[in-house]
Amino acid sequence: MATAVPRFSRIRCSERLSRYSSIRIGGPVESVVSVSTVSDLEKVLEMMEHGVLPAPLGFIGRGSNILFPDEGFVGTLVRFDQPDPSSGCRWEDNGHVRVSAGYPLPALAREAARRGFQGFEFLACIPGTVGGASVMNAGAGGQVWSDLCQSVTMMTRSGRLVIVPADRMRYRYRSSILSGRQGTRFDLSLPQGEKDEDLTCSVVLEVLLSGRPSDPGLCQELLARHLQYRKSTQPLDEPSLGSVFKNPSDAPDGYSAGRLIEESGLKGVTRGGVMVSLRHANFFVNTGKGRASEFMELLSVVMERVKIRWGIVLEPEVRVWNA
């Protein structure tokens, strides 16, 4: 008897990746499927195993730190959508919260402030999800994800659930055990073996975080201040991928990547439809019909100019998705 293949309604065929990128860049992809629960993901993996969905699978949250290729890619893009608030963000009295991978970071910051838990404010202007923050150790204003993270629940390529303590995530500045990959890919047609359980090939499902109990009024005031500062200094109203480069450790005191770029005279420099932001030099914005090739060309121009001017090699923070 043939094995029944689960049906899943949230599948789109012949899509463009630009629809799922915060900078609105990217070519065609065979199919896109949205998931919000472990059950959804299990159905998707089973459909791929039976050839209902094209392999490989590539996983994203909001696409806020990933540059998709102009030529697109073969396979299926799996998006972690915002789950139901009651199940996607579960608070405990001790300040701990269990959050699903697709939960938006700004929503988490607002909910933490409302409940009187401090330490989440820096997430308010990061346009990503819990899963993405867990992969790249997202941060802003001197705070980072690893300050909050207690453990990460993942699914390996073989479908096994594992809970990884934060101290095993190898968190560093904008990196973790998961961040070396250029987009997680699952292809169940490959031989199964020990590498299946390699954490670098796993997908984040849920994270346990811990905040500091505080006065809700104070938390909301801190949140408002953070939002006001970020909105005044970053192009949050324009399509971008957030910070393009990591802040270099060998820069002069007080110099961030943005300041190095700005003082190299690069604000407003363009390549095609991609421009170094006039508001914050460490942001590239899509001025209309930007392409990944133009983004990469501008990336090279900025790196070369900064190296000539300062003798510093900037390291990209944006993840370039290989076709």
Side-chain angles (χ1 to χ4, degrees):
M1 179 183 292
T3 303
V5 179
R7 302 185 65 177
F8 203 74
S9 59
R10 288 176 287 176
I11 300 174
R12 295 174 179 268
C13 298
S14 302
E15 288 281 86
R16 293 198 67 81
L17 293 166
S18 56
R19 289 192 58 187
Y20 306 99
S21 165
S22 62
I23 199 171
R24 300 171 194 166
I25 286 175
V29 62
E30 290 182 88
S31 61
V32 177
V33 58
S34 298
V35 301
S36 57
T37 67
V38 173
S39 176
D40 290 343
L41 182 57
E42 289 172 341
K43 291 176 184 177
V44 168
L45 293 176
E46 190 172 349
M47 284 190 291
M48 186 183 71
E49 187 175 13
H50 287 85
V52 177
L53 287 175
L57 305 182
F59 295 84
I60 66 166
R62 286 181 139 184
S64 59
N65 194 48
I66 300 172
L67 181 67
F68 290 125
D70 295 321
E71 60 271 31
F73 73 85
V74 176
T76 300
L77 185 71
V78 182
R79 298 177 66 242
F80 281 89
D81 273 352
Q82 178 176 352
D84 179 83
S86 62
S87 60
C89 190
R90 306 184 303 283
W91 293 87
E92 301 172 5
D93 293 338
N94 58 4
H96 283 58
V97 57
R98 298 183 185 277
V99 197
S100 297
Y103 207 83
L105 299 179
L108 177 58
R110 291 193 300 270
E111 184 64 13
R114 186 183 73 82
R115 290 174 175 269
F117 292 112
Q118 198 173 330
F120 295 83
E121 298 82 15
F122 73 99
L123 303 174
C125 289
I126 301 178
T129 60
V130 164
S134 301
V135 170
M136 67 169 292
N137 196 19
Q143 293 179 273
V144 290
W145 184 254
S146 55
D147 294 336
L148 301 170
C149 185
Q150 301 297 306
S151 66
V152 181
T153 300
M154 308 180 197
M155 179 181 284
T156 67
R157 194 181 72 178
S158 63
R160 190 168 69 97
L161 294 181
V162 294
I163 298 176
V164 183
D167 60 6
R168 285 192 56 207
M169 289 294 294
R170 300 180 193 168
Y171 279 128
R172 299 290 185 273
Y173 177 65
R174 299 297 182 270
S175 70
S176 74
I177 195 173
L178 301 172
S179 57
R181 62 199 184 176
Q182 300 301 313
T184 299
R185 306 296 179 93
F186 277 12
D187 189 342
L188 298 185
S189 64
L190 297 175
Q192 300 286 310
E194 290 184 1
K195 290 185 178 180
D196 293 345
E197 304 304 317
D198 184 350
L199 294 181
T200 62
C201 295
S202 300
V203 177
V204 175
L205 300 178
E206 182 181 88
V207 182
L208 175 64
L209 306 173
S210 180
R212 302 187 302 277
S214 183
D215 175 67
L218 173 61
C219 291
Q220 291 176 340
E221 182 181 343
L222 291 172
L223 179 64
R225 288 180 188 173
H226 186 88
L227 284 167
Q228 183 178 13
Y229 174 76
R230 293 293 165 185
K231 288 178 180 178
S232 67
T233 58
Q234 297 179 358
L236 302 180
D237 55 346
E238 299 177 84
S240 79
L241 292 176
S243 297
V244 176
F245 297 101
K246 299 179 181 180
N247 290 323
S249 59
D250 55 345
D253 289 344
Y255 275 75
S256 62
R259 185 173 178 183
L260 293 172
I261 297 167
E262 180 175 355
E263 294 192 13
S264 298
L266 290 162
K267 268 190 172 182
V269 171
T270 63
R271 286 298 182 271
V274 183
M275 178 180 74
V276 177
S277 170
L278 294 170
R279 193 177 305 173
H280 193 304
N282 198 21
F283 284 65
F284 291 2
V285 297
N286 185 350
T287 61
K289 296 183 179 180
R291 295 175 55 81
S293 57
E294 295 164 350
F295 187 104
M296 294 303 296
E297 185 179 351
L298 187 58
L299 190 86
S300 297
V301 168
V302 169
M303 291 180 69
E304 182 179 7
R305 188 83 62 87
V306 169
K307 183 178 180 181
I308 292 172
R309 171 69 175 81
W310 301 97
I312 294 172
V313 178
L314 292 177
E315 181 182 353
E317 182 174 318
V318 168
R319 295 168 59 205
V320 180
W321 192 290
N322 292 335

